[in-house]
Amino acid sequence: MSDGFSFARIGAVLRKELVQMRRDRLTLAMIVGVPMMQIFLFGFAINVNPKHLPTAVSISDPGIYADSVVAALQNSSYFEIEKATNSPQEARAMLDEGDVSFVVEIPANFSRDLVRGAHPQLLIESDATDPAAASNATAALAQLFGDALRDDLKGPLAARAQTAPAFDVVIHPLYNPEAITQYNVVPGLLAVILTMSMVLMTCLALTRERERGTYENLLAMPVKPLELMIGKIAPNIFVGAIQSVLVLLVAKFVFGVPMIGSLLLLSGCLLLFITANLAVGYTFSTVAQNQLQAMQMTMFFLLPAILLSGFAFPFRGMPVWAQWLGEVLPATHFLRVVRGILLKGNGWTQIWPDVWPLILFLFIAGTLALMRFRRTLD
Amino acid sequence: MSTHSEPGRSQGLAIDVRGLTKRFGRKTAVNGIDIQVPDGEVWGFLGPNGSGKTTTIRMLCGLLKADEGTGTCLGFDLRTEAEKIKRAVGYMTQKFSFWEDLSIRENLEFVARMYEIADARARVGDTIRRLGLERRQSQLAGELSGGWKQRLALAACMLHSPRLLLLDEPTAGVDPKTRRDFWDEIHRLSGEGLTVLVSTHYMDEAERCDRIVYISLGNIVARGTVAEVIEQSKLFTFIVEGDGARHLAETLRQSHGVEFVSFFGAALHVSGRDRDALERALAPYRGQQGLAIAEAVPSLEDVFIQLQEESAPQERPAPKERAPQ
Ligand SMILES: Nc1ncnc2c1ncn2[C@@H]1O[C@H](COP(=O)(O)OP(=O)(O)OP(=O)(O)O)[C@@H](O)[C@H]1O
Ligand SMILES: [Mg+2]
């Protein structure tokens, strides 16, 4: 027996937690059920590839080319033409009010410029507040128009169709400067799901002991606060790992999210992020007197993590104060890391700016938990 | 365990605290208590509900910070060496505080590992065998009956061979045979040098202690051996027995000099501190047909009831409601 730090005691706590977890069917169900439900609900409800999006066509230059454009839109299952108008203002107003998701604008002199080979522009304004909804359709547009107009460019104009596009499709994703693609949603969900379940799992760690009266017994034993914290947090790291694997599998095989970067690097960052969230939950549980309080604190933490992390709204679209708040949250940084690694293939050097805040956060949350921990019942 | 360093304990006191005080908000739960328990003695800690027994015990084992007062447990300073005290003390909580969703064995093994007991498995096995729980060792602790929970808790808090046991009503709800076994075990261990402070509401248990401390409203109001406490009480008790004794209770209670009357089966214990007044109150009934009145040594219970009424008169229940034992 020594007065020192004891791995045996950490092992004892860890073991106890695992046994208790195993016996708690609800928790077991939560470990797998909640992330699955969330990813499918969010993933499908957000609908990565919607069809029949309401569209307005603003025609400032009627003619055969305009007709072709309209026909092409009608033939495509992506678009549903709500209105064809010759007033750009009217079309824009519809977009503003959310009556349509797209405005296709055929500018004045489109036919003339096209025939002249002056590369006229087809302007497409999209409502990108829901970028995941609009992006596939947008991507389809350029191809669509290219094909449609090729048929019109015959005879002496055929050369225009053969070479580079005879016109430019200019897409303005409005209201959403980052123009996020659909793939952003699912990796983002990883951050949200982990935040939620990790904080939930540990916010009750001590609160439950307190409510059941076992806390007094625990405190009467010679366990050190750090040993207790590690023993209580560690089993949940496994839980987080299981959830991460599940979410990533679904992301890849159900939603086809590309995974370009290093999965090893991602695993390291996941571990860091999971532990940071567990530390937050544990801090809550050192403060909360009962389970209700613990839940309230969790919600208090979870809402900003969803709303301000860049998951729900594009980060740069938020007011500066909200961005500052967001920078404090681990979810914000992890969101960038996971998107960076999966979608952009970012490496260590690129993600470091978002990794050190995670480390700092973990350190602060852990210290806070240890400071808040009461060795007595007072 | 025996490798423990023994810091300077000149007086051979396992517990040596002075002026221990605990306040909860504006309420003083424990008010300047002094306790000195010599090594190897068994002390009883008595007092009415809410008198501060649990609070005192919690302060002794470092679970509550004393607002005032100083002292040592097993030679370790109460304020600065709480961690060392925790290692060497076995504390049994009043309310069952083991994990109901762990099995009996798992609970014991957890405790064994927390105290870093060498070959924990064997030790736990021994304990389970001694409890006679071999066949139920994988049963969840939450499924045990109340008395068995107490026995499990007791076994668990002795698992690490503590040198001081602080037991908070360890035998509440335990059957008489088990209670006797428990006390035999306590005395056996105290013979080996273990010191015990045990809170209880049972008179027979108080009588088994080397010394008792009686606390009321956070103050110690009596202490000493059972005989000393009875002696100090300056109480006189007459036993009224026979036909119609019961019907006299109400009248006697109103009489001058009678402080309290309690039923013991068919007999009445009539007690007061003024012996002459008591005699006068009983005089009319002397010689009455079939009624025997005799003086007796007050029982510990008589003394405790008197102490309780004396120190907390405002909480005195209406005489009719005073429960007979
Ligand atoms: N955590 C607390 N907060 C506020 N008051 C408390 C707390 N713990 C105990 N008290 C009060 O302190 C007083 C002493 O309580 P304590 O539990 O020590 O009594 P006790 O002698 O153990 O009683 P019992 O015989 O019923 O177990 C009581 O009035 C109680 O209400
Ligand atoms: Mg008590």
Side-chain angles (χ1 to χ4, degrees), chain A residues 91-102:
Chain A
R92 181 60 181 276
M94 289 179 80
L95 189 66
D96 276 344
E97 279 156 31
D99 294 336
V100 294
S101 301
F102 288 98

Side-chain angles (χ1 to χ4, degrees), chain A residues 2 23 209 216 377-378, chain B residues 22 63 87 91 99 101:
Chain A
S2 68
R23 301 232 163 97
E209 305 268 5
E216 184 172 5
L377 294 168
D378 297 84
Chain B
K22 182 72 195 177
L63 285 181
R87 277 168 192 282
Y91 168 49
W99 288 266
D101 50 353

Side-chain angles (χ1 to χ4, degrees), chain B residues 50 52-55 94 168-169 199 201:
Chain B
K53 299 183 296 294
T54 300
T55 307
Q94 179 172 1
D168 201 353
E169 299 190 28
S199 84
H201 289 296

